[in-house]
């Protein structure tokens, strides 16, 4: 079975092939309703390079799965494979037989010199044109040619006793004595949010070890998909968090990070006064529990983001 997948950022991704006896097909549920709403509104984006990759795949001619692997080998495409035991491999296929294939695995964006052998009968899914693999291949081909300086920084945040990812990568757009306005990027080098961050919750800022991130931002700008969601067309400025949130309408979708909460809270505004505010969170594409925040405990607020735009579109269609 062959599908055009949707990635974790609500974008059409690569072509995925699944072994039919290893999958279950569902056509109802909250997530299906969410993606159907985005699809009807033409909000599920496809990057132009991704469109070209998918078109190339559909021009191939193959019947047996080892014939597909042979085409992938000849075109030197990086792929991802899942096995019946749940193990997951990404890399470059270097040899194919009717029963096995050999692959150089990707490890920290580099191909391992020692290849591994995988039985074809144990492969349950193949991600053929996945965009992270496309970028990894370009990175390995071009990484030594020149520097891709894009003014990116690492910002390490301080949270209270939880397991949240405490690193945000992006470009500082504005700052004052108390706050930073960051244009944060996602894992494909696409502008993901315009976020105001409270400086007293920042542990460290540096521009180290960002060669790959600078490269993918360079690629996204060169190919015209860096500001895929037109976030930079929004007028934003650094304000106190209380001013930002009290200026919102009730039921407006927004996203915050609090010092004492163990995840990012995305939902709708229920109330806001001079001291605190309440948000009703989205949980599994449905409205769930409410959380109350003190303004003084906020680490960051997303002024606009791809997620906010998509949730706002979906939520307004539910009302």
């Amino acid at each position: 079975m062959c599908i055009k997948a949707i990635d974790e950022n609500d974008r059409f991704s690569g072509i995925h092939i699944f072994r039919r006896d290893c999958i279950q097909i569902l056509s109802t549920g909250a997530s299906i309703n969410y993606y159907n709403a985005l699809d009807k509104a033409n909000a599920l984006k496809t990057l132009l390079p991704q469109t070209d990759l998918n078109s190339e795949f559909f021009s191939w001619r193959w019947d047996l799965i080892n014939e597909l692997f042979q085409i992938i080998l000849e075109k030197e495409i990086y792929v991802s494979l899942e096995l019946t035991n749940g193990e997951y491999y990404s890399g470059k296929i270097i040899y194919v037989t009717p029963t096995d294939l050999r692959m150089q695995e990707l490890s920290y964006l580099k191909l391992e010199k020692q290849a591994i052998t995988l039985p074809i009968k144990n492969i349950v899914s193949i991600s053929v044109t996945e965009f992270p693999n496309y970028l990894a291949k370009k990175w390995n081909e071009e990484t030594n040619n020149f520097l891709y300086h894009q003014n990116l920084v690492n910002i390490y945040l301080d949270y209270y006793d939880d397991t949240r990812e405490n690193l945000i990568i992006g470009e500082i757009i504005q700052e004052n004595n108390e706050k930073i306005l960051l244009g944060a990027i996602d894992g494909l080098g696409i502008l993901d949010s315009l976020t105001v961050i409270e400086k007293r919750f920042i542990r460290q800022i540096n521009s180290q070890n960002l060669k790959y991130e600078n490269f993918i931002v360079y690629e996204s700008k060169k190919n015209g998909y860096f500001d895929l969601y037109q976030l930079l067309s929004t007028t934003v400025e650094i304000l106190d968090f209380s001013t930002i949130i009290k200026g919102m309408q009730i039921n407006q979708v927004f996203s915050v990070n609090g010092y004492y909460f163990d995840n990012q809270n995305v939902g709708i505004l229920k109330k806001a006064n001079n001291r605190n505010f309440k948000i009703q969170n989205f949980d599994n594409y449905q409205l769930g529990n409410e959380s109350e925040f003190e303004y003084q405990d906020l680490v960051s607020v997303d002024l606009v983001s791809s997620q906010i735009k998509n949730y706002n579109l979906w939520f307004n269609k539910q009302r």
Side-chain angles (χ1 to χ4, degrees):
M1 182 179 188
C2 178
I3 67 166
K4 185 165 68 170
I6 298 171
D7 67 17
E8 68 275 8
N9 292 309
D10 302 339
R11 295 188 289 261
F12 281 121
S13 181
I15 302 299
H16 292 235
I17 299 170
F18 296 91
R19 213 171 77 186
R20 192 63 184 257
D21 62 334
C22 295
I23 62 171
Q24 181 182 10
I25 300 175
L26 302 175
S27 58
T28 59
S31 61
I32 299 297
N33 294 337
Y34 172 75
Y35 288 118
N36 278 334
L38 296 188
D39 192 27
K40 289 178 181 177
N42 295 316
L44 292 173
K45 308 289 187 180
T46 304
L47 310 183
L48 179 59
Q50 186 69 68
T51 301
D52 293 340
L53 287 169
N54 292 344
S55 297
E56 180 183 354
F57 168 81
F58 286 116
S59 71
W60 300 348
R61 295 293 177 262
W62 55 277
D63 294 312
L64 302 175
I65 200 69
N66 60 297
E67 294 174 346
L68 171 61
F69 286 131
Q70 186 63 41
I71 295 172
I72 292 170
L73 182 155
E74 292 169 358
K75 293 184 175 294
E76 299 184 339
I77 292 171
Y78 291 9
V79 295
S80 297
L81 309 173
E82 185 178 0
L83 274 58
T84 50
N85 61 6
E87 292 179 348
Y88 192 80
Y89 300 91
S90 293
K92 178 181 178 182
I93 296 171
I94 59 172
Y95 187 73
V96 177
T97 74
T99 58
D100 302 286
L101 62 82
R102 289 180 62 76
M103 168 186 274
Q104 288 178 277
E105 269 192 280
L106 273 173
S107 177
Y108 300 101
L109 298 170
K110 295 293 184 183
L111 290 172
E112 296 279 4
K113 292 182 180 180
Q114 185 69 36
I116 58 171
T117 300
L118 301 174
I120 291 177
K121 68 177 182 179
N122 291 345
I123 296 172
V124 297
S125 73
I126 312 164
S127 301
V128 184
T129 61
E130 209 167 41
F131 207 68
N133 287 333
Y134 164 80
L135 288 173
K137 182 175 186 290
K138 292 205 71 169
W139 168 250
N140 277 283
E141 292 171 346
E142 301 180 18
T143 182
N144 295 320
N145 290 350
F146 60 97
L147 296 176
Y148 308 92
H149 186 59
Q150 300 294 321
N151 299 317
L152 298 180
V153 294
N154 295 305
I155 296 183
Y156 295 89
L157 300 174
D158 183 30
Y159 298 122
Y160 175 79
D161 191 27
D162 64 40
T163 59
R164 263 176 295 183
E165 174 63 59
N166 70 344
L167 171 64
I168 302 178
I169 299 173
E171 181 178 355
I172 296 174
I173 299 172
Q174 298 175 25
E175 68 176 304
N176 59 26
N177 291 333
E178 297 178 349
K179 293 179 175 63
I180 283 174
L181 174 60
L182 186 78
I185 64 164
D186 66 15
L188 300 183
I190 296 170
L191 184 65
D192 188 55
S193 69
L194 301 180
T195 302
V196 176
I197 303 171
E198 181 71 40
K199 280 186 174 180
R200 63 191 175 93
F201 291 113
I202 295 176
R203 292 198 340 236
Q204 184 182 6
I205 300 177
N206 65 54
S207 56
Q208 300 171 7
N209 302 315
L210 287 172
K211 191 174 180 182
Y212 177 72
E213 287 77 11
N214 279 296
F215 165 71
I216 60 176
V217 168
Y218 168 83
E219 282 291 316
S220 70
K221 289 180 177 179
K222 181 180 73 173
N223 290 290
Y225 60 84
F226 173 72
D227 191 10
L228 187 66
Y229 299 92
Q230 299 181 318
L231 304 185
L232 293 174
S233 64
T234 306
T235 301
V236 294
E237 58 181 321
I238 298 177
L239 299 170
D240 289 338
F241 289 144
S242 62
T243 303
I244 293 171
I245 293 172
K246 285 190 298 182
M248 294 179 180
Q249 298 179 346
I250 297 300
N251 289 334
Q252 181 173 335
V253 178
F254 71 118
S255 172
V256 299
N257 256 324
Y259 179 67
Y260 294 105
F261 283 75
D262 62 357
N263 57 18
Q264 186 180 39
N265 286 255
V266 183
I268 58 172
L269 181 65
K270 298 307 295 181
K271 72 169 189 177
N273 56 39
N274 290 331
R275 185 171 62 87
N276 57 32
F277 65 95
K278 187 173 287 186
I279 182 174
Q280 186 174 11
N281 293 286
F282 290 128
D283 182 15
N284 192 27
Y285 306 102
Q286 300 178 84
L287 285 171
N289 296 328
E290 294 186 357
S291 301
E292 190 170 84
F293 292 84
E294 304 284 329
Y295 297 115
Q296 65 182 8
D297 296 329
L298 288 184
V299 176
S300 66
V301 175
D302 290 345
L303 301 181
V304 63
S305 72
S306 58
Q307 185 182 51
I308 289 172
K309 283 198 164 189
N310 285 345
Y311 270 119
N312 211 22
L313 185 153
W314 167 76
F315 176 68
N316 288 333
K317 288 185 175 296
Q318 310 306 303
R319 294 192 289 176

